[in-house]
Amino acid sequence: MPQPNKQNQNKQLNQQNQNKQNQNKQLNQNKQNQNKQNQNKQNQNEQNQNQNQKQNKQLNQDAAKKDQIDKNTNNQNQKKNLKRKNKQKELKKNIEKLKKEGEQFANGISKVMNEVEDSSATTEDYENLNLNEFQEFADQANLNNENDNNDKINEQAEFDKDEIVDNQQKAIFSKFIQAQSHPDNLYDSESSDAEAGKEISKTGNIPMHWYDGFDHIGYNLDGEQVKKTIKRDEIDKFLFNNDPSGIQWRTVYDEKSGKEIILTEQEYEMLRRINEGKFADGDYDPYEPMFERPYEDKIHPITGGTEPKSRFIPSKWEAKRIAKLVTAYKKGWIKLNEKSKKPLKHKPYMIWKDGEESEAKYKFAFLRIPPPKPRLPVHAESYNPPSEYLLTQQEYNTILKYDPNLEKNKFLPTKYNSMRDIPIYEKLIRERFERCLDLYLCPRAPAKIKKQVELAEKKKKLLPDLPKPETLRPYPTTLAVQYRGHKEAVQTISVSSKGQFLASGSSDGVLIIWEVETGRLLKQWNFGSSILVVAFNPNHDMHDILVVTTADARVLLINIYVRKNQINKFDERIAIIDQLITYKQAETSSRVSAAAMWSAVSDKELYQSGVRMQITLKKAAEKLIWHNKGDYFACVCPDASQSNQILIHRITTQQTQFPFRKLKGKVQCVQFHPSSPHFFVATQRIVRIYNLVKQVLMKKLLPPVDEISSIDIHPGGDNILVGSFDNVVCWFDLELGAGKPYKILKYHRDVVRSVTYHRKYPLFASCSDDGRIHIFHGMVYNDLLKNALIVPVNVLSKYHKIINSKGILDCVFHPNHPWIFSCGADGLINLFSS
């Protein structure tokens, strides 16, 4: 184990040595580049000196004229020169100390000055300074800048503009002077502050381009000109922009002072936060919780002083005031509950009076009707209700399972720690907006009453001439029989084609066969999983075949006449049917067998009770429809793949077909045409009609709903009923050919679960979760020029209880009589007769 550690240490040391070598190479390259640049500058300086000599000849001629003007200004300049000489001496001493003690000052260098103001330093001071030695000293100072904890002092030297020759030497020299960290090396801070105050420009808020033609940028407090600082040339700018320390990104030019300001890390962070739209101070918390002082052991008032005696003695002045009012009332000076009889200055009149109509006609329109008083809140509606009113997570999940829209429609008690935590009312803005619309669109009272009178007069013209419901009998009106035997919600019912038996399936897996007229329970099965659909064979010769679908993806075929595996030997038809639904091995493809497998029932008890055969599917079949001939039935599996959502089974051959390879959308339900080879497929928003012989799409029906729940076809085959989950029922007439509904009926208050036609009488019905069954008279005429007649005749309500937001789940008409069966979430089955 120690060997790998030594190897790792050696690797780390080698990497560190390589990094140091790379750093030394970069420093050497930088030094070579700077030497080349210095040589180029020296050549340029020689050229500039030759040009200056020519210019000096002309300047000497003009100097004589300026001498007289200079005499007046010499007195002021002498004072300045004295100060400058003192500064020069101090600066020379500092330069010598910095050369000797460069290593001591290296840790104190943190900031570099970018501008130098006027000073009288000569070029001899720059020549005595070795630039290469200073550059090594400055680079080492930048590396050790992070460990410097001493105070930094920035001092600025003044130089005369005319005496500065080399801009690069000037910048390096100013950086070198500014880098020192000991305050004793420079002149006193008091004198520097005074001088700095004089150099501050007091021009105010004016455009700085006004000083473009002058050599100053304003005046200081003493009225003296503040000279412009010399800006960098192109070479200095290039060197400054390529500074490895990255200081150029934090340097800002101030036009007022003519200086470059270096931003600190705090200022840079403040500008970055402001640019991002945040608070400038990073430590500021706008969402800081409010501090509440606890007063658990305190008793109000907080001041513990004794109550004064005057608070317990009745007021003498109030007693005198009451005595005056009593005497005035006794003498009749004050009269209560009487209107003043003073004449009104302006008599009221009708603003919107029409012609000579009397005011008495509209007198009742201005009577104030008080709004009804709202119900007082209960404990459950408190923002901090007791614990017994709150729902647990398990209770909430069970309720939400039965009613997904529970949070939108109903109130649930919730707990908040304080009033501040209560969220805003969700419908506040919408209700305020609707209220504003009501006030904006509200007509004047007389005009509104006039419209009501006109509507009352034209009421007969607006409503169609419909026959009275009494003349359209028979239709279901009263409760005749109630079937009790299920403990859970009854999800589906079916009546045999002869009307003798009734089959019902519940969510607890119980299937019961009833006798219709007597209500007697004939047979009962328990399949262990929820029953989704039960359906009798519509063929009269095979009316005793019952098909059941369960939640565990099984389809069961049952012969209801079999009792303890015994068949009436004298009835040959029953024996033939029993052989028909007995399993026989048939050749099927692998694809079909994977989606639907035919097999015999393995449970002996079920087989002896009449369950002969089962079909195992991949997903549960939620809808099942028989063909009128009784040989085919279709299953709808919405959760299966697109090609397996619709399966058509044939009893005689015991085979399964897939009529569609691809389907657009999720299939809700299907129907066979009563007389033609047409197949109706309803997805969530579209009903498509296919021709099974030609294998062609014939028509599309577009109901104005969000999701279809059920469909049914009129015995004539030309009219369709469509129910939806958004409380709408649509009647389609296929002969109109528009693809749009003939009538849209909006009378239910909740989800429409089922719609159905009567096979003999001109009746149709719909049931909903609101606990109501609406019965309609729907007459379809043979005359093509006459539209169907739709008349509401009866509403059957209050016969089923609503449990977990579910009411009536299914309804079916009797095949021979004007009766209707209904089943609900309360476990009851009702028969309504005429």
Side-chain angles (χ1 to χ4, degrees):
M1 295 301 292
Q3 292 179 358
N5 292 328
K6 290 180 179 180
Q7 291 177 358
N8 293 327
Q9 292 177 0
N10 294 326
K11 287 181 181 179
Q12 291 179 357
L13 292 172
N14 293 328
Q15 289 180 358
Q16 291 178 359
N17 293 326
Q18 289 179 0
N19 293 329
K20 289 181 180 179
Q21 290 177 1
N22 294 327
Q23 290 178 358
N24 293 326
K25 287 180 181 179
Q26 290 180 356
L27 291 173
N28 294 326
Q29 289 178 359
N30 292 330
K31 290 177 182 179
Q32 292 176 1
N33 292 328
Q34 289 179 356
N35 291 328
K36 291 179 181 179
Q37 291 176 0
N38 292 329
Q39 291 177 1
N40 294 328
K41 284 190 174 183
Q42 288 177 1
N43 296 328
Q44 290 179 358
N45 291 330
E46 291 177 357
Q47 294 177 359
N48 292 329
Q49 287 178 1
N50 295 327
Q51 292 178 357
N52 290 330
Q53 290 176 359
K54 293 179 182 179
Q55 291 178 357
N56 289 330
K57 292 179 181 179
Q58 295 178 355
L59 293 173
N60 291 328
Q61 296 176 0
D62 298 333
K65 296 180 181 179
K66 294 181 180 180
D67 290 333
Q68 295 178 358
I69 299 170
D70 293 333
K71 289 179 181 179
N72 296 326
T73 58
N74 284 333
N75 295 326
Q76 296 178 356
N77 293 330
Q78 286 176 1
K79 295 179 180 180
K80 294 181 180 180
N81 291 329
L82 290 174
K83 292 180 180 179
R84 290 174 181 174
K85 288 178 180 180
N86 293 327
K87 292 178 183 179
Q88 288 175 6
K89 292 178 181 179
E90 292 176 355
L91 290 172
K92 289 179 180 179
K93 293 178 181 180
N94 292 330
I95 291 168
E96 292 175 358
K97 289 181 180 180
L98 289 171
K99 287 180 180 179
K100 296 177 181 179
E101 300 177 358
E103 295 179 355
Q104 296 178 0
F105 298 135
N107 295 327
I109 296 174
S110 62
K111 296 182 181 179
V112 178
M113 181 177 178
N114 296 322
E115 295 180 2
V116 177
E117 296 183 355
D118 295 341
S119 178
S120 61
T122 61
T123 57
E124 295 177 359
D125 297 330
Y126 295 100
E127 292 174 356
N128 294 329
L129 178 63
N130 191 348
L131 297 176
N132 294 329
E133 293 178 358
F134 173 72
Q135 185 64 32
E136 293 179 358
F137 162 69
D139 293 335
Q140 186 176 3
N142 288 327
L143 293 173
N144 297 327
N145 187 21
E146 296 178 355
N147 298 324
D148 185 16
N149 294 322
N150 298 324
D151 297 334
K152 278 80 176 176
I153 297 175
N154 297 327
E155 295 294 341
Q156 205 170 19
E158 295 182 354
F159 298 95
D160 289 335
K161 180 180 178 182
D162 297 332
E163 294 178 357
I164 294 174
V165 178
D166 192 351
N167 292 327
Q168 182 179 7
Q169 294 178 353
K170 174 197 68 176
I172 295 172
F173 182 73
S174 62
K175 292 178 185 178
F176 185 71
I177 290 174
Q178 191 182 8
Q180 59 183 340
S181 60
H182 297 282
D184 298 334
N185 293 334
L186 297 179
Y187 46 83
D188 296 337
S189 61
E190 294 180 357
S191 63
S192 64
D193 293 340
E195 293 296 330
K198 291 182 180 180
E199 296 301 326
I200 297 174
S201 177
K202 299 296 182 180
T203 56
N205 188 13
I206 63 171
M208 297 305 295
H209 64 82
W210 291 358
Y211 293 97
D212 291 345
F214 300 92
D215 59 348
H216 64 280
I217 57 171
Y219 301 88
N220 58 11
L221 293 175
D222 296 336
E224 298 176 354
Q225 294 180 351
V226 178
K227 298 295 182 179
K228 290 183 179 179
T229 57
I230 299 173
K231 296 183 180 180
R232 294 187 179 89
D233 56 6
E234 297 299 329
I235 297 173
D236 289 335
K237 287 181 181 179
F238 176 76
L239 293 173
F240 181 70
N241 291 330
N242 293 322
D243 191 350
S245 63
I247 197 172
Q248 63 273 17
W249 300 108
R250 294 190 291 111
T251 304
V252 181
Y253 179 73
D254 185 9
E255 293 183 353
K256 294 293 182 183
S257 62
K259 300 177 182 179
E260 290 183 349
I261 301 171
I262 300 173
L263 299 177
T264 62
E265 293 182 358
Q266 295 179 353
E267 293 172 346
Y268 178 74
E269 179 66 19
M270 186 183 297
L271 291 174
R272 186 186 64 79
R273 291 180 63 84
I274 292 171
N275 189 24
E276 293 178 357
K278 300 179 180 178
F279 290 96
D281 188 2
D283 297 333
Y284 176 70
D285 185 10
Y287 305 104
E288 184 177 0
M290 187 179 73
F291 175 73
E292 297 181 357
R293 293 183 179 180
Y295 293 103
E296 297 177 356
D297 300 334
K298 304 289 184 179
I299 299 175
H300 291 282
I302 297 175
T303 59
T306 58
E307 294 286 340
K309 186 179 178 182
S310 60
R311 295 185 182 178
F312 301 94
I313 299 173
S315 177
K316 180 176 67 176
W317 304 106
E318 289 180 358
K320 289 182 178 181
R321 180 63 179 166
I322 292 170
K324 286 182 181 180
L325 293 173
V326 171
T327 55
Y329 179 72
K330 288 180 179 179
K331 293 181 180 181
W333 297 342
I334 298 175
K335 294 181 180 180
L336 302 176
N337 298 328
E338 290 187 5
K339 296 180 180 179
S340 60
K341 298 182 180 179
K342 294 180 181 180
L344 299 173
K345 294 183 181 180
H346 303 286
K347 186 178 180 182
Y349 60 93
M350 297 292 293
I351 298 177
W352 297 286
K353 184 177 179 181
D354 297 335
E356 298 180 355
E357 295 178 353
S358 62
E359 296 180 4
K361 183 176 179 182
Y362 302 106
K363 187 176 181 180
F364 65 90
F366 299 96
L367 296 177
R368 180 180 176 276
I369 301 174
K373 294 183 178 180
R375 178 181 60 83
L376 294 176
V378 295
H379 293 295
E381 296 176 355
S382 172
Y383 77 92
N384 191 7
S387 58
E388 59 266 17
Y389 289 96
L390 298 175
L391 296 176
T392 62
Q393 188 65 30
Q394 185 177 2
E395 293 173 350
Y396 177 77
N397 293 333
T398 53
I399 293 173
L400 193 65
K401 181 179 179 181
Y402 292 102
D403 188 4
N405 299 324
L406 179 66
E407 293 182 351
K408 297 181 180 178
N409 301 330
K410 296 185 179 180
F411 171 78
L412 291 176
T414 53
K415 184 177 181 179
Y416 301 98
N417 295 327
S418 62
M419 294 287 285
R420 291 184 302 153
D421 296 337
I422 300 175
I424 192 172
Y425 179 48
E426 295 178 354
K427 301 180 181 179
L428 175 64
I429 298 174
R430 182 177 181 83
E431 289 182 358
R432 291 285 178 89
F433 178 70
E434 291 178 353
R435 178 59 179 162
C436 292
L437 287 180
D438 293 340
L439 295 174
Y440 173 69
L441 301 174
C442 180
R444 303 301 182 185
K448 186 176 181 180
I449 295 167
K450 187 176 180 180
K451 289 182 179 179
Q452 290 178 355
V453 173
E454 292 177 354
L455 290 174
E457 292 176 355
K458 298 179 180 179
K459 185 176 180 180
K460 296 180 181 179
K461 296 181 181 179
L462 294 174
L463 296 176
D465 294 332
L466 297 176
K468 294 182 179 181
E470 291 79 8
T471 61
L472 302 176
R473 292 183 183 274
Y475 53 82
T477 56
T478 57
L479 178 63
V481 182
Q482 195 170 60
Y483 306 89
R484 294 177 179 270
H486 289 283
K487 297 180 181 180
E488 297 293 335
V490 181
Q491 296 182 347
T492 176
I493 55 176
S494 179
V495 186
S496 62
S497 59
K498 292 186 177 181
Q500 184 179 0
F501 303 109
L502 173 68
S504 61
S506 62
S507 59
D508 57 354
V510 176
L511 172 66
I512 299 177
I513 306 297
W514 310 84
E515 191 175 11
V516 172
E517 295 183 355
T518 62
R520 185 165 59 94
L521 191 150
L522 299 178
K523 297 185 71 174
Q524 182 175 347
W525 293 270
N526 192 345
F527 296 108
S529 62
S530 177
I531 296 176
L532 303 178
V533 183
V534 295
F536 276 104
N537 195 313
N539 193 339
H540 288 288
D541 296 332
M542 295 184 289
H543 69 278
D544 46 2
I545 297 176
L546 179 66
V547 177
V548 179
T549 64
T550 59
D552 55 356
R554 289 188 300 167
V555 180
L556 304 173
L557 279 77
I558 304 172
N559 187 351
I560 63 172
Y561 280 110
V562 177
R563 293 184 181 179
K564 296 182 181 180
N565 202 20
Q566 294 181 1
I567 303 173
N568 189 356
K569 297 180 181 180
F570 299 98
D571 195 343
E572 296 179 357
R573 186 189 63 81
I574 297 174
I576 294 171
I577 290 172
D578 190 67
Q579 293 179 0
L580 182 64
I581 61 174
T582 303
Y583 175 67
K584 300 173 185 178
Q585 292 183 355
E587 295 181 358
T588 56
S589 62
S590 59
R591 177 175 177 270
V592 174
S593 61
M597 178 182 285
W598 293 67
S599 63
V601 178
S602 59
D603 192 348
K604 292 182 179 180
E605 293 183 1
L606 291 177
Y607 186 83
Q608 291 178 0
S609 62
V611 182
R612 295 306 190 197
M613 194 164 41
Q614 71 176 10
I615 305 171
T616 305
L617 307 177
K618 283 187 176 181
K619 299 292 182 179
E622 297 182 4
K623 297 288 183 180
L624 188 144
I625 298 297
W626 280 97
H627 191 269
N628 283 345
K629 293 183 179 180
D631 193 13
Y632 296 93
F633 65 91
C635 295
V636 178
C637 306
D639 297 333
S641 61
Q642 289 185 351
S643 60
N644 297 336
Q645 287 188 20
I646 300 176
L647 305 175
I648 297 179
H649 309 282
R650 188 176 184 181
I651 296 175
T652 55
T653 60
Q654 297 182 4
Q655 291 182 351
T656 302
Q657 298 178 2
F658 301 93
F660 301 100
R661 291 183 180 178
K662 290 185 180 180
L663 289 169
K664 296 181 181 179
K666 182 180 178 181
V667 179
Q668 298 292 108
C669 48
V670 296
Q671 279 284 352
F672 288 101
H673 194 277
S675 57
S676 301
H678 298 164
F679 192 62
F680 296 79
V681 178
T683 56
Q684 290 182 339
R685 293 188 177 183
I686 302 174
V687 179
R688 294 178 174 86
I689 305 173
Y690 295 94
N691 190 329
L692 297 178
V693 177
K694 297 181 180 180
Q695 299 181 359
V696 175
L697 175 63
M698 295 175 56
K699 190 179 291 187
K700 286 184 181 180
L701 305 180
L702 304 173
V705 297
D706 292 335
E707 188 174 358
I708 297 172
S709 62
S710 59
I711 63 172
D712 196 16
I713 302 174
H714 192 270
D718 294 332
N719 295 275
I720 302 174
L721 271 181
V722 177
S724 66
F725 284 100
D726 48 358
N727 317 341
V728 178
V729 177
C730 301
W731 177 299
F732 284 90
D733 192 347
L734 299 180
E735 293 180 353
L736 296 178
K740 295 182 180 180
Y742 164 62
K743 292 289 183 182
I744 300 174
L745 307 175
K746 298 180 180 180
Y747 49 83
H748 279 296
R749 301 176 184 175
D750 211 330
V751 175
V752 178
R753 292 290 179 179
S754 178
V755 292
T756 180
Y757 280 109
H758 200 287
R759 300 306 168 192
K760 291 185 178 180
Y761 292 90
L763 297 172
F764 72 92
S766 63
C767 62
S768 172
D769 281 341
D770 57 4
R772 297 184 178 186
I773 303 173
H774 288 259
I775 310 298
F776 287 84
H777 175 85
M779 176 62 73
V780 178
Y781 300 97
N782 294 327
D783 188 1
L784 299 178
L785 300 177
K786 198 171 184 180
N787 293 328
L789 176 64
I790 301 174
V791 181
V793 292
N794 197 9
V795 179
L796 303 174
S797 61
K798 299 181 180 179
Y799 292 102
H800 287 277
K801 295 181 181 179
I802 299 174
I803 298 175
N804 296 329
S805 301
K806 289 187 178 182
I808 302 174
L809 302 179
D810 196 5
C811 64
V812 179
F813 276 110
H814 193 278
N816 302 323
H817 301 287
W819 302 345
I820 190 169
F821 299 88
S822 65
C823 63
D826 54 359
L828 297 178
I829 304 170
N830 295 329
L831 169 61
F832 300 94
S833 62
S834 58

